[in-house]
Every structure is written in structure tokens, then in C-alpha cells.
Amino acid sequence: MQWIPGLVSISFRPLSPEEVIRIAKEAGLAAIEWGGDVHVPFGDIETAEKVGEMTRAAGLSMPEYGSYYRVGAADPADFAKVLSSAKALGTSHIRVWAYNKNPDEIDEETYAAIVKDAKRICKEAADLTICLECHNNTLTSNYKSALKFLEDVGCENFKMFWQPNQFISHEENLEACRALLPYIERVHTFSWEGKEKYPLAQHTGRWQEYMAILAESKNASMPLMLEFMHDNNPDTLKETAKTLLDWIK
């Protein structure tokens, strides 16, 4: 398994793309996930092309585009703009969210419409991979509903991001990671417990167990993308990145 250490740009929304590239490079990271809300707004092709060129010139890859398209809840026309931005950026994966409610809050008719929208965007982005983010208040708030959704959509280019859920136990997160492994393409990396954010090293033992599972993936590589560090301070990114790089070693 080739681990790719990277940074999710929304961790530092106030910074410019140039600054995000600089701190990622200085921290020894290899990749950036650009967010579609601030740094690379969906539909702004000129910005996407410019940021893509700057990122590649710095020797960094872009494993994914972090869109905020909500499957089944967003304006369907917005996905064409998301797709155009992802292609202009030069990435292979697009992150989306699965609706805006938990599974037990959705009726059958609404669920069918969400599945239909997911199939549509997978078809529109046939040459890219669409990935759901594990997130509360969406269909992926637990791994069982995420698996059902993935299977009901049934598209080969419909996959998962994974991250530990800070509101459940470590044992439950291990179970989720194992269950979703065949679909996991990228990982958001942090050390949180409930609403508390800790230095990444705080959960080194937990992440060693997650990475042992992720290493069994059939994918040749797995991006581990730092997201929302404990202090939101770009000046300490090097320290956080060192922890991640030590895990990889």
C-alpha cells in the first residue's frame, strides 16, 4: 500500500490557495483536497484551472475535489458545475454528501429519489469516481445505511471516503472501517472525541489499527488527508504532518 499524506484545504479556509500550497509543501505533505466552497468554488473554471496548475507546479497531487453537492437535496443542475470544476482542476474523485438527513428520517419515496440522483451523477461523471463522505445527518451516518445506499445505487464509480465518527466508540469505528473497506478510496484523518479536537498523535494507537485495516484494500494507494487540526493553526501544521508521516514510515 502506498500511503499519500495530504491536506484538506478547508482546514484553513481563511488562507489563499497559494498559502495552502506553501504550508502543505513546507510540512512535507504530498497532496491537497481542494474545497468547493472557498478555494475552488464549483462552476468557477478559471479558478479551478489556476489552482490546479499551481498545485502541480508545486509537485503536489490532487486526489479529490471536495464538493458540497448533496445527493438528492441539491439543485440537480449544480452537479454539472461541480463536474466541470473537478475536471478543470485535474482530479479523479469528487466528494459528495448523501442527502441532509439521517436514514431513519427519510421515507421510501424520498430515498428512491436520492438513489435516482446518485445514479444520474455517476452516469454524468462516468470517467471519474464519486465518493460519499461519512457524515452525521446524512445517509452515511452509520455504515449499514451507507452500505445499503452504495448497493442500491450499484454504480462501479460510486465509492466512499472514510473517517472515524467522533461520536461512537473506537470498536464501532473499527467495525465500520472493515465493513466499508471494499468501497473506501480516500481517508480524512484527525483525532477527535465528541466535540473535542486533540493533537493527531493523541490517537496514534487507534490510527495504527485503522491503517492495518486500510492496508488490506485492493487499491494501490490510499490518501490520508489531514482535516481540521486541533488548533486550526497553520503554524503547527508541520508538527501534525510529522505525526502522519511517522505513521506512514
Side-chain angles (χ1 to χ4, degrees), residues 136 163-170 173 190-198 203 206 228:
N136 292 319
Q163 62 193 38
N165 185 331
Q166 67 269 33
F167 297 105
I168 64 177
S169 70
H170 176 55
N173 277 316
F190 48 71
S191 293
W192 300 357
E193 291 179 33
K195 295 182 180 180
E196 295 295 324
K197 299 177 182 178
Y198 297 102
H203 287 175
R206 297 186 185 189
F228 294 127

Side-chain angles (χ1 to χ4, degrees), residues 25-42:
K25 187 76 174 178
E26 290 177 352
L29 298 173
I32 296 176
E33 174 195 317
W34 290 108
D37 55 349
V38 175
H39 294 119
V40 183
F42 71 89

